[in-house]
Amino acid sequence: MGSQQKRDYYDVLGVSRKASKDEIREAFRKLAFQYHPDRNKAPDAEGKFKEISEAYAILSDDEKRQQYDLLGHEGIQGRYTYEDIFTRSNFEDVFKEFGFGNFDNIFDRFFRGGFGGFQRPYGPERGNDLRYDLEISMEEAASGLERETSVLRSENCSVCNGTGAKPGTAPKTCSKCQGSGQVRYVKSAGFAQLIQVLTCDRCGGRGTFIESPCLNCKGTGVTRKVRRVVVKIPEGVEDESYLKLQGQGDVGANRGRQGDLYVVVHVKPHPFLTRDGDNLLHRAETSFPTAALGGKILVPTLDGKAELRIPPGTQSGTVFRLRGKGMPRGRWHGRGDELIEVTVRTPTNLTPKQRRLLEELGEELGEKKSG
């Protein structure tokens, strides 16, 4: 939001100034679900998600809401720090409900460095989580597999060991903020005191400054590296499921711990089979004589072709079951089944002889000749 004019928090959530806490929470739930960047890929989704999160953080807290109603944005920015605003208790239940993932790290992911005038104390921060999309076939999903892939991620600089300082030197403590990264200003206004906590303008909130930057990382302490990662896909994995590889994401700022790598699995559609839970579905055609007299047809399975016995008098729409030919149910739980719906194929473009034979059959069955 930068230096732009901030919107009214009530307008951001679309609620009235007399809205109850339940109404505020419900408004946030709907908007968070709509604009969470993992679900909404629009360019402005992340910005909107930050904005509604800030509004909810203020209006869901009785004390902060009172200060905002009294003094507006100035009453909030001059009184609270980032850590005061974005507390775990405010958001934990909502993120759990939506399955947004690790709520402990979600604000580090989207709001690193602070926003809206609320600055974080500058210290070790957890690294960003990374996402890798992996496409596999249905056969691979059934059997499980290992796949090696390349991931571009940030790591601590190998030259300065993540300090950002040239080897043989070290960052120095900022004399203005005494290493805290923040400067506290107190102003008297009659009987009241206005307290404002701002990021130190000398060290930029780091608490330290580097006189001789590392030449390899330009003083950032971080470089980008391509690493080989082995992904183990369990058998029976479903489309759009994800695997978490802990500690395989970006390294955190200021030598913080690494984030995680989330591998999202996409199972390609099978040309003949459709998945329904642990079962597989297939539609097979059979000829009219086979349906009437009985016989055998070949049907596709994940293990190759299988023979299916068609009993005499089979009607179109009959479903047969091949046990154990479906998807794995997980370790030690066997496999689902393959369900085959048979459609009786009606002959077309009959020759005169075929037409005559069918008419004779119809007469034998007591059907009146049409026309």
Side-chain angles (χ1 to χ4, degrees):
M1 285 175 273
S3 61
Q4 295 179 358
Q5 183 67 34
K6 295 169 72 67
R7 292 174 61 200
D8 179 79
Y9 287 144
Y10 292 97
D11 290 343
V12 170
L13 295 181
V15 297
S16 73
R17 304 189 76 83
K18 295 182 179 180
S20 66
K21 293 185 74 171
D22 287 341
E23 290 173 328
I24 289 171
R25 184 177 187 277
E26 182 62 23
F28 172 69
R29 285 178 67 257
K30 292 180 179 178
L31 291 170
F33 189 76
Q34 179 180 354
Y35 289 111
H36 192 283
D38 283 351
R39 303 180 57 86
N40 189 328
K41 301 304 180 183
D44 62 344
E46 183 170 327
K48 289 182 180 294
F49 181 74
K50 292 179 180 180
E51 186 179 41
I52 62 175
S53 296
E54 179 182 337
Y56 175 69
I58 300 301
L59 299 184
S60 62
D61 183 279
D62 291 336
E63 178 188 325
K64 298 180 183 70
R65 183 177 181 180
Q66 184 178 26
Q67 288 293 320
Y68 177 70
D69 288 344
L70 183 64
L71 300 173
H73 293 293
E74 294 300 322
I76 299 299
Q77 292 179 2
R79 187 180 181 92
Y80 301 102
T81 65
Y82 177 97
E83 301 296 346
D84 295 328
I85 297 296
F86 300 104
T87 62
R88 173 188 174 109
S89 59
N90 278 9
F91 297 90
E92 179 174 349
D93 291 342
V94 177
F95 290 162
K96 272 186 175 180
E97 180 181 350
F98 286 156
F100 282 160
N102 193 334
F103 51 79
D104 286 326
N105 303 317
I106 195 164
F107 285 108
D108 278 340
R109 175 182 172 188
F110 293 123
F111 308 135
R112 176 169 287 114
F115 71 99
F118 308 113
Q119 296 295 328
R120 299 203 61 176
Y122 200 94
E125 297 180 359
R126 182 184 180 277
N128 288 323
D129 292 333
L130 300 179
R131 170 174 173 153
Y132 179 78
D133 292 271
L134 177 63
E135 188 176 65
I136 63 175
S137 67
M138 188 175 289
E139 287 83 358
E140 289 174 322
S143 63
L145 73 153
E146 285 191 6
R147 182 74 59 82
E148 187 178 66
T149 185
S150 297
V151 176
L152 178 64
R153 69 188 186 194
S154 62
E155 299 182 357
N156 283 327
C157 174
S158 59
V159 175
C160 67
N161 197 29
T163 66
K166 187 177 180 179
T169 67
K172 294 186 177 181
T173 301
C174 177
S175 58
K176 184 171 184 177
C177 65
Q178 304 302 316
S180 68
Q182 295 180 329
V183 180
R184 185 182 180 94
Y185 298 95
V186 180
K187 295 180 181 180
S188 296
F191 294 103
Q193 282 189 328
L194 297 178
I195 301 174
Q196 192 172 25
V197 180
L198 298 177
T199 300
C200 177
D201 57 1
R202 184 180 184 198
C203 65
R206 291 175 174 81
T208 61
F209 64 92
I210 299 172
E211 288 185 335
S212 301
C214 171
L215 298 179
N216 185 55
C217 65
K218 305 298 189 295
T220 64
V222 174
T223 56
R224 302 286 283 173
K225 295 285 187 180
V226 176
R227 294 296 183 188
R228 304 294 292 177
V229 177
V230 176
V231 182
K232 295 182 179 180
I233 307 297
E235 61 180 28
V237 66
E238 295 193 32
D239 184 44
E240 297 296 332
S241 59
Y242 67 86
L243 307 172
K244 176 182 174 182
L245 277 64
Q246 193 166 2
Q248 296 291 346
D250 283 341
V251 71
N254 305 302
R255 306 177 74 179
R257 66 187 181 91
Q258 285 185 254
D260 302 323
L261 171 64
Y262 288 87
V263 179
V264 182
V265 180
H266 304 278
V267 182
K268 292 185 291 187
H270 195 278
F272 306 112
L273 303 172
T274 303
R275 184 169 183 172
D276 181 17
D278 298 325
N279 294 330
L280 295 174
L281 310 178
H282 174 66
R283 289 185 177 179
E285 283 191 347
T286 187
S287 66
F288 175 75
T290 301
L293 303 175
K296 297 177 181 178
I297 62 173
L298 292 177
V299 294
T301 73
L302 292 179
D303 305 315
K305 294 286 186 179
E307 196 173 71
L308 177 67
R309 179 178 172 274
I310 304 295
T314 293
Q315 302 297 308
S316 189
T318 301
V319 177
F320 297 93
R321 184 183 298 267
L322 292 179
R323 297 195 178 278
K325 292 295 185 180
M327 298 294 291
R329 295 194 178 101
R331 195 174 186 184
W332 314 120
H333 295 292
R335 294 173 63 167
D337 303 325
E338 182 172 330
L339 306 179
I340 302 164
E341 181 181 352
V342 172
T343 300
V344 178
R345 185 172 59 252
T346 303
T348 59
N349 301 320
L350 298 173
T351 65
K353 181 180 179 180
Q354 291 169 338
R355 184 178 182 86
R356 185 173 65 254
L357 291 172
L358 284 176
E359 289 173 347
E360 291 176 0
L361 175 61
E363 292 174 359
E364 287 291 323
L365 295 175
E367 296 180 3
K368 294 183 178 179
K369 186 175 180 180
S370 61

